[in-house]
Amino acid sequence: MSDDLGQGWQRPDPRMLLVYPVKELGRFLPVVIGVLVAGTASGGPGTWLQLLGIGVPIALGVLRYLTTSYRIAQGRVELRRGLLNRHVLSTPLDRVRTVDVTAPPVHRLLGLTSVRIGTGTASSDEDDHLDLDGLPAERARRLRADLLTAGTDSEEQAATAVLDLDPAWVRYAPLTSSGLVLAAGVLGLTSQVVDSLGGLRVDARNLHDGAGAWSLWVAVPLGLLGLVVMVALLSIGGYVVTNWGFRLTHTGPGRGGAWQLRRGLLTTRETTIDDERLRGVVVGEPIGLRLAGAARASAIVTGLDRRESGSAVLVPPAPRAVVERVAGEVLRTAAPLTAPLTRHGPRARNRRFTRALGPALLIATAALVLTALADLPLWVPVLAAVGLPVAVLLAVDRAAALGHALVEDHFVVRSGSLVRRREALEVDAVIGWNLRATWFQRRADLTSLVATTAGGRQAVSALDVPEDAAVAVALAATPDLLAPFLAGPPD
Amino acid sequence: MTEQIQPRLREPSQRVSPRARLMWGLGAALEAGALLVVLVVVGPAGGWLPLPWWALVPVALGAVAYAVVVPQWRYRVHRWEVTGTAVYIQTGWWARERRIAPMSRIQTVEHAEGAIARLFGLATVTVTTASAAGALEIDGLERDRALALVDELTLMADSVPGDAT
């Protein structure tokens, strides 16, 4: 396959001559603006400076184009770049684990893409990534197909669509916490910009008078409502920008094929995950989604760069039935996601209650004592007391979530309340077991059972499993591993 | 599950060096000592410590207990075992952690000697797997034994094919 791409080195597409200089101009933007301003102010020799200020970045961009080349030959992908510091990256084809095709807006206008060849490197240095920037979209697709089928003879195969985004699912966006994160980001940025522009001078007395005319009872709910609307709009915007055109397809035979994932409104992103690298599924139900009967799912993929774990999303927030169908198809069996779980019993339940109620009680007591001693306003202990029923609800819900099972060669675990998760990990992908028990847990004969793995969050943990059950499930999953370390029957 | 007796994990067979108690004790004593120095000397001198003098007594008692009791406790818990197919360790004191990793999934074997450990001729052997959550660390081994263990583990891990993910 690699032979028909030729032995020689290839340049990126000539259209990149338009992209590189723009990029360089962007990188030098502060300098360019400075030079332009200085030039206009001084006049005379400034014109030369101005020309230099624009010419140097453009020249650098052209040089970048001329010094970048790649080739696929003799079973390796090689990338050369750099003018002064020559940089050659090279990787064997059979080490290629993922091929991501992204197209930022400028690339898209020109019909170009950027191909990142992932080898599961732990390096976070941007220079150590094999990025083939500036391939025409068609060639990028062909290259991806070539790279990922290296070693096998599979021809062009029809892709079967597993999931297409339904725009109506946008309604679930405000129920996740992503809107809050975005809002915090926007607020932070705004305050920084305002600060750097000399700060917003708010006349406190003025504000107070204004609020006084409105009365606190109107102003506070109105402010909260505004905040809620803003967060909802932001999360909807975020959902649309990242997930627009979301499409999950599978190519190739049942096993040994690959999953392809495409999404993005402005920057389109296409990720490909080999079947053999996809080792499990996580179905997440943040409380908002759970109450609305929705969920989302992501894949546990080994060999994905840790920084890119976000690209393993399988289903954006969507109705639960859809999530279960897709996750079931990805796992090739729906059983791990629907089968009943082994519950962790009353002792685990008690621990959830002590863990939730303990801090709440402590805070309530402290608030009471402090109010009596230091006469705090009365709403402090009232607010602290509200924490108690909330803690009870949380404990009930958390206890109800706990469960684990071994279903069709998958280690399945469920836990959490505010962010409930059901994780299903292939037994073959379990690297080792950690059993952790604090003194309190040992007294209750409980332990936390953690299956470590090379993908996703690196571990799948079952909280507060009765010791017997923990050993039993680990033994059933990996009998050869645990058998030598079992104690004889107690006398 | 039926009513039969469930199997349980036993402890790993090997203990760490008895000198590890002294090493952990010295480390804990240095930590506790630093805390006490801050509380007794620097605090009053700087004038920012609002504690009455008698509040220092339980703090000092706690620090001494930490330096004396915890290393003993740790020594009772810390154990390890290497078989032809797996590495099994037990660490911790308040929270006890048991970790099992198969030989076929070992990626690196590391030998380290901290400053305090060198005083006692001890070393730490760390075994990592492809999972960030799965490193196995054996603290407080005699240096010679640690070096032999590293050689043994490296040989055994090398003889198993696969990329350990």
Side-chain angles (χ1 to χ4, degrees):
Chain A
M1 43 121 281
S2 53
D3 305 300
D4 51 317
L5 284 172
Q7 296 286 321
W9 293 88
Q10 302 180 27
R11 291 241 165 82
D13 191 274
R15 278 170 280 184
M16 285 306 280
L17 275 171
L18 291 172
V19 178
Y20 281 137
V22 171
K23 258 190 178 170
E24 295 292 336
L25 269 179
R27 193 182 300 177
F28 283 95
L29 200 61
V31 182
V32 171
I33 290 178
V35 167
L36 286 185
V37 169
T40 330
S42 61
T47 359
W48 288 107
L49 257 178
Q50 283 176 345
L51 278 181
L52 214 64
I54 296 174
V56 167
I58 290 179
L60 277 178
V62 173
L63 271 177
R64 231 170 97 128
Y65 171 78
L66 291 175
T67 53
T68 303
S69 57
Y70 67 93
R71 73 167 173 182
I72 296 167
Q74 289 141 24
R76 303 182 77 83
V77 193
E78 291 173 284
L79 171 68
R80 285 196 307 204
R81 64 162 172 249
L83 174 68
L84 296 176
N85 302 316
R86 292 299 278 167
H87 206 90
V88 181
L89 283 163
S90 158
T91 195
L93 285 180
D94 55 6
R95 286 289 162 81
V96 173
R97 292 178 176 182
T98 56
V99 177
D100 288 359
V101 180
T102 50
V106 180
H107 283 62
R108 274 179 78 185
L109 281 177
L110 298 167
L112 295 175
T113 57
S114 170
V115 178
R116 164 162 294 189
I117 297 174
T119 52
T121 173
S123 167
S124 55
D125 190 346
E126 199 58 30
D127 275 349
D128 289 343
H129 287 287
L130 250 173
D131 287 327
L132 306 183
D133 199 358
L135 262 60
E138 193 40 48
R139 195 147 120 225
R141 292 229 170 76
R142 234 177 24 242
L143 177 69
R144 179 178 62 195
D146 284 350
L147 285 176
L148 291 177
T149 52
T152 65
D153 292 329
S154 52
E155 289 299 304
E156 285 284 301
Q157 263 133 356
T160 39
V162 177
L163 177 72
D164 277 298
L165 185 84
D166 181 345
W169 296 343
V170 160
R171 67 180 184 272
Y172 297 123
L175 303 176
T176 62
S177 56
S178 60
L180 277 180
V181 175
L182 270 174
V186 167
L187 281 181
L189 202 70
T190 321
S191 75
Q192 245 182 22
V193 169
V194 167
D195 259 6
S196 65
L197 290 180
L200 196 64
R201 262 175 229 105
V202 178
D203 192 340
R205 213 174 317 138
N206 229 335
L207 195 71
H208 188 261
D209 288 350
W214 280 52
S215 108
L216 218 58
W217 295 105
V218 180
V220 169
L222 216 64
L224 278 177
L225 189 73
L227 199 67
V228 166
V229 169
M230 186 184 87
V231 167
L233 286 179
L234 276 174
S235 51
I236 287 173
Y239 188 99
V240 169
V241 167
T242 41
N243 293 323
W244 192 254
F246 192 103
R247 187 178 164 85
L248 179 70
T249 54
H250 187 261
T251 49
R255 291 253 167 205
W259 293 93
Q260 265 163 32
L261 207 143
R262 189 196 148 85
R263 60 175 179 159
L265 178 67
L266 302 172
T267 297
T268 59
R269 201 175 292 275
E270 288 179 44
T271 314
T272 307
I273 304 165
D274 271 9
D275 261 336
E276 60 186 73
R277 300 256 164 231
L278 206 158
R279 312 307 293 270
V281 166
V282 181
V283 174
E285 295 174 285
I287 188 142
L289 287 183
R290 182 145 57 97
L291 291 177
R296 61 185 171 202
S298 56
I300 299 175
V301 185
T302 59
L304 264 194
D305 297 349
R306 238 153 256 169
R307 220 160 37 85
E308 292 170 4
S309 55
S311 56
V313 172
L314 281 178
V315 191
R320 215 191 134 75
V322 175
V323 174
E324 273 180 2
R325 175 183 66 77
V326 174
E329 281 191 49
V330 169
L331 288 177
R332 313 243 164 255
T333 157
L337 300 168
T338 50
L341 301 175
T342 311
R343 315 308 311 276
H344 293 179
R347 295 192 305 268
R349 189 182 168 78
N350 287 343
R351 250 178 79 74
R352 294 274 68 81
F353 273 90
T354 35
R355 301 261 317 210
L357 273 175
L361 269 175
L362 202 70
I363 290 173
T365 320
L368 264 182
V369 171
L370 282 180
T371 315
L373 290 181
D375 69 18
L376 292 178
L378 208 59
W379 57 263
V380 174
V382 171
L383 200 69
V386 170
L388 290 175
V390 172
V392 170
L393 284 178
L394 201 67
V396 169
D397 199 40
R398 277 175 68 79
L402 291 182
H404 72 274
L406 194 66
V407 189
E408 299 196 8
D409 281 334
H410 284 80
F411 177 52
V412 184
V413 161
R414 188 179 61 189
S415 68
S417 167
L418 294 180
V419 183
R420 180 168 293 179
R421 267 196 203 96
R422 184 171 176 134
E423 294 164 282
L425 178 69
E426 259 176 48
V427 165
D428 279 346
V430 174
I431 286 180
W433 298 96
N434 299 351
L435 290 96
R436 185 186 157 87
T438 64
W439 188 73
F440 288 129
Q441 277 175 305
R442 289 201 293 279
R443 262 188 16 148
D445 204 23
L446 297 170
T447 182
S448 295
L449 177 68
V450 179
T452 63
T453 181
R457 296 150 56 88
Q458 308 288 306
V460 171
S461 351
L463 210 60
D464 285 341
V465 191
E467 177 97 26
D468 282 340
V471 175
V473 73
L475 183 66
T478 55
D480 296 341
L481 182 57
L482 260 75
F485 305 121
L486 293 180
D491 303 315
Chain B
M1 295 292 158
T2 50
E3 280 299 300
Q4 67 189 44
I5 300 160
Q6 289 292 333
R8 293 220 156 198
L9 284 176
R10 60 172 172 78
E11 296 196 307
S13 60
Q14 310 289 313
R15 307 194 86 157
V16 298
S17 163
R19 274 177 292 169
R21 283 176 294 186
L22 291 174
M23 177 186 78
W24 289 322
L26 180 59
L30 287 178
E31 280 174 34
L35 175 72
L36 283 181
V37 166
V38 167
L39 287 184
V40 174
V41 182
V42 184
W48 47 262
L49 207 68
L51 283 179
W53 66 269
W54 53 263
L56 287 175
V57 177
V59 172
L61 282 179
V64 170
Y66 178 66
V68 173
V69 177
V70 170
Q72 299 288 338
W73 194 347
R74 217 186 260 281
Y75 178 66
R76 291 169 69 97
V77 174
H78 276 238
R79 281 163 172 274
W80 61 278
E81 183 173 349
V82 174
T83 71
T85 53
V87 183
Y88 176 27
I89 61 147
Q90 173 174 293
T91 57
W93 50 287
W94 178 262
R96 181 195 70 191
E97 181 141 1
R98 289 171 165 173
R99 294 186 167 195
I100 305 176
M103 201 60 78
S104 58
R105 301 297 180 95
I106 290 178
Q107 282 196 327
T108 66
V109 182
E110 185 188 310
H111 172 101
E113 294 174 24
I116 297 178
R118 281 167 77 171
L119 284 182
F120 297 94
L122 298 175
T124 303
V125 172
T126 308
V127 174
T128 66
T129 62
S131 170
L136 288 78
E137 191 178 297
I138 313 171
D139 201 8
L141 287 173
E142 277 110 14
R143 181 188 289 136
D144 294 341
R145 194 158 192 204
L147 287 171
L149 182 63
V150 168
D151 287 345
E152 187 190 350
L153 283 172
T154 314
L155 264 179
M156 284 200 280
D158 274 352
S159 63
V160 187
D163 72 346
T165 58

Short mmCIF file of all heavy atoms in Angstrom, two decimals, chain A residues 185-213:
data_model
loop_
_atom_site.label_atom_id
_atom_site.label_comp_id
_atom_site.label_asym_id
_atom_site.label_seq_id
_atom_site.Cartn_x
_atom_site.Cartn_y
_atom_site.Cartn_z
N GLY A 185 -15.39 30.46 32.33
CA GLY A 185 -14.32 30.90 31.44
C GLY A 185 -14.61 32.27 30.86
O GLY A 185 -13.75 33.16 30.86
N VAL A 186 -15.84 32.45 30.39
CA VAL A 186 -16.22 33.73 29.78
C VAL A 186 -16.13 34.85 30.82
O VAL A 186 -15.57 35.92 30.55
CB VAL A 186 -17.65 33.65 29.20
CG1 VAL A 186 -18.16 35.04 28.86
CG2 VAL A 186 -17.65 32.76 27.97
N LEU A 187 -16.65 34.59 32.03
CA LEU A 187 -16.59 35.60 33.07
C LEU A 187 -15.14 35.96 33.40
O LEU A 187 -14.79 37.13 33.53
CB LEU A 187 -17.29 35.09 34.33
CG LEU A 187 -18.82 35.18 34.30
CD1 LEU A 187 -19.41 34.67 35.61
CD2 LEU A 187 -19.25 36.63 34.06
N GLY A 188 -14.31 34.92 33.52
CA GLY A 188 -12.91 35.15 33.84
C GLY A 188 -12.24 36.01 32.78
O GLY A 188 -11.56 36.99 33.09
N LEU A 189 -12.49 35.66 31.51
CA LEU A 189 -11.88 36.38 30.41
C LEU A 189 -12.36 37.83 30.39
O LEU A 189 -11.57 38.77 30.26
CB LEU A 189 -12.24 35.68 29.10
CG LEU A 189 -11.31 35.97 27.93
CD1 LEU A 189 -9.97 35.29 28.19
CD2 LEU A 189 -11.91 35.46 26.64
N THR A 190 -13.69 37.99 30.56
CA THR A 190 -14.25 39.34 30.53
C THR A 190 -13.62 40.20 31.62
O THR A 190 -13.22 41.33 31.38
CB THR A 190 -15.77 39.29 30.75
OG1 THR A 190 -16.28 38.18 30.04
CG2 THR A 190 -16.42 40.56 30.28
N SER A 191 -13.53 39.63 32.83
CA SER A 191 -13.01 40.44 33.93
C SER A 191 -11.56 40.80 33.67
O SER A 191 -11.11 41.90 34.00
CB SER A 191 -13.16 39.69 35.25
OG SER A 191 -12.20 38.68 35.34
N GLN A 192 -10.82 39.87 33.00
CA GLN A 192 -9.43 40.16 32.71
C GLN A 192 -9.32 41.30 31.69
O GLN A 192 -8.54 42.23 31.87
CB GLN A 192 -8.75 38.92 32.15
CG GLN A 192 -7.66 38.41 33.07
CD GLN A 192 -6.97 37.21 32.48
OE1 GLN A 192 -7.00 36.99 31.28
NE2 GLN A 192 -6.33 36.45 33.34
N VAL A 193 -10.16 41.19 30.65
CA VAL A 193 -10.13 42.22 29.61
C VAL A 193 -10.51 43.57 30.21
O VAL A 193 -9.84 44.59 30.00
CB VAL A 193 -11.09 41.85 28.45
CG1 VAL A 193 -11.27 43.02 27.52
CG2 VAL A 193 -10.56 40.64 27.70
N VAL A 194 -11.59 43.56 31.01
CA VAL A 194 -12.04 44.80 31.64
C VAL A 194 -10.94 45.37 32.51
O VAL A 194 -10.65 46.56 32.50
CB VAL A 194 -13.32 44.54 32.46
CG1 VAL A 194 -13.62 45.73 33.36
CG2 VAL A 194 -14.49 44.27 31.53
N ASP A 195 -10.27 44.47 33.27
CA ASP A 195 -9.18 44.88 34.15
C ASP A 195 -8.07 45.53 33.36
O ASP A 195 -7.57 46.60 33.70
CB ASP A 195 -8.61 43.66 34.87
CG ASP A 195 -9.14 43.58 36.29
OD1 ASP A 195 -10.02 44.41 36.61
OD2 ASP A 195 -8.68 42.71 37.05
N SER A 196 -7.68 44.87 32.26
CA SER A 196 -6.53 45.36 31.51
C SER A 196 -6.88 46.64 30.77
O SER A 196 -6.00 47.39 30.37
CB SER A 196 -6.03 44.29 30.54
OG SER A 196 -7.02 44.05 29.57
N LEU A 197 -8.17 46.91 30.59
CA LEU A 197 -8.58 48.15 29.94
C LEU A 197 -8.76 49.26 30.98
O LEU A 197 -9.40 50.27 30.72
CB LEU A 197 -9.88 47.96 29.17
CG LEU A 197 -9.75 47.11 27.90
CD1 LEU A 197 -11.08 46.98 27.21
CD2 LEU A 197 -8.71 47.70 26.95
N GLY A 198 -8.25 49.02 32.19
CA GLY A 198 -8.30 50.08 33.19
C GLY A 198 -9.37 49.84 34.24
O GLY A 198 -9.50 50.60 35.19
N GLY A 199 -10.10 48.78 34.11
CA GLY A 199 -11.05 48.42 35.16
C GLY A 199 -12.36 49.15 35.02
O GLY A 199 -12.43 50.30 34.54
N LEU A 200 -13.41 48.44 35.42
CA LEU A 200 -14.74 49.03 35.35
C LEU A 200 -14.96 49.73 36.68
O LEU A 200 -14.87 49.13 37.74
CB LEU A 200 -15.75 47.89 35.15
CG LEU A 200 -17.14 48.29 34.68
CD1 LEU A 200 -17.06 48.90 33.30
CD2 LEU A 200 -18.02 47.06 34.66
N ARG A 201 -15.23 51.01 36.62
CA ARG A 201 -15.44 51.70 37.89
C ARG A 201 -16.93 51.69 38.24
O ARG A 201 -17.75 52.28 37.55
CB ARG A 201 -14.91 53.13 37.81
CG ARG A 201 -13.52 53.18 38.42
CD ARG A 201 -12.88 54.53 38.28
NE ARG A 201 -11.52 54.34 37.77
CZ ARG A 201 -11.17 54.60 36.52
NH1 ARG A 201 -12.05 55.08 35.68
NH2 ARG A 201 -9.94 54.41 36.14
N VAL A 202 -17.24 50.96 39.28
CA VAL A 202 -18.64 50.88 39.69
C VAL A 202 -18.81 51.78 40.91
O VAL A 202 -18.10 51.64 41.90
CB VAL A 202 -19.02 49.43 40.05
CG1 VAL A 202 -20.46 49.39 40.54
CG2 VAL A 202 -18.84 48.54 38.84
N ASP A 203 -19.71 52.67 40.82
CA ASP A 203 -19.97 53.53 41.95
C ASP A 203 -20.89 52.79 42.91
O ASP A 203 -22.06 52.57 42.63
CB ASP A 203 -20.65 54.83 41.47
CG ASP A 203 -20.67 55.86 42.59
OD1 ASP A 203 -20.52 55.44 43.75
OD2 ASP A 203 -20.82 57.05 42.29
N ALA A 204 -20.30 52.37 44.03
CA ALA A 204 -21.05 51.51 44.95
C ALA A 204 -22.34 52.20 45.42
O ALA A 204 -23.38 51.57 45.54
CB ALA A 204 -20.18 51.16 46.14
N ARG A 205 -22.23 53.49 45.68
CA ARG A 205 -23.40 54.18 46.21
C ARG A 205 -24.52 54.18 45.15
O ARG A 205 -25.67 53.92 45.43
CB ARG A 205 -23.04 55.63 46.56
CG ARG A 205 -23.82 56.14 47.77
CD ARG A 205 -23.30 57.52 48.14
NE ARG A 205 -21.83 57.56 48.07
CZ ARG A 205 -21.16 58.60 47.54
NH1 ARG A 205 -21.81 59.63 47.02
NH2 ARG A 205 -19.85 58.60 47.54
N ASN A 206 -24.11 54.43 43.92
CA ASN A 206 -25.03 54.45 42.80
C ASN A 206 -25.76 53.11 42.68
O ASN A 206 -26.98 53.04 42.56
CB ASN A 206 -24.25 54.67 41.51
CG ASN A 206 -24.89 55.76 40.69
OD1 ASN A 206 -26.08 55.99 40.83
ND2 ASN A 206 -24.09 56.42 39.87
N LEU A 207 -24.92 52.04 42.75
CA LEU A 207 -25.46 50.69 42.60
C LEU A 207 -26.47 50.44 43.70
O LEU A 207 -27.55 49.90 43.49
CB LEU A 207 -24.30 49.69 42.69
CG LEU A 207 -24.62 48.28 42.21
CD1 LEU A 207 -24.76 48.27 40.71
CD2 LEU A 207 -23.53 47.32 42.64
N HIS A 208 -26.10 50.83 44.91
CA HIS A 208 -26.95 50.57 46.05
C HIS A 208 -28.28 51.30 45.88
O HIS A 208 -29.34 50.73 46.10
CB HIS A 208 -26.24 51.02 47.33
CG HIS A 208 -26.96 50.61 48.56
ND1 HIS A 208 -27.78 51.46 49.26
CD2 HIS A 208 -27.01 49.41 49.20
CE1 HIS A 208 -28.30 50.81 50.27
NE2 HIS A 208 -27.85 49.57 50.27
N ASP A 209 -28.20 52.54 45.45
CA ASP A 209 -29.44 53.30 45.23
C ASP A 209 -30.31 52.63 44.18
O ASP A 209 -31.51 52.48 44.34
CB ASP A 209 -29.10 54.73 44.78
CG ASP A 209 -28.53 55.52 45.95
OD1 ASP A 209 -28.60 54.98 47.07
OD2 ASP A 209 -28.00 56.61 45.73
N GLY A 210 -29.63 52.22 43.10
CA GLY A 210 -30.38 51.58 42.03
C GLY A 210 -31.07 50.32 42.53
O GLY A 210 -32.26 50.10 42.29
N ALA A 211 -30.30 49.49 43.27
CA ALA A 211 -30.87 48.25 43.77
C ALA A 211 -31.98 48.54 44.77
O ALA A 211 -32.99 47.84 44.81
CB ALA A 211 -29.79 47.40 44.43
N GLY A 212 -31.76 49.58 45.56
CA GLY A 212 -32.76 49.94 46.56
C GLY A 212 -34.09 50.25 45.91
O GLY A 212 -35.16 49.86 46.40
N ALA A 213 -34.04 50.93 44.76
CA ALA A 213 -35.27 51.26 44.06
C ALA A 213 -35.99 50.00 43.59
O ALA A 213 -37.20 49.97 43.45
CB ALA A 213 -34.96 52.18 42.88
#
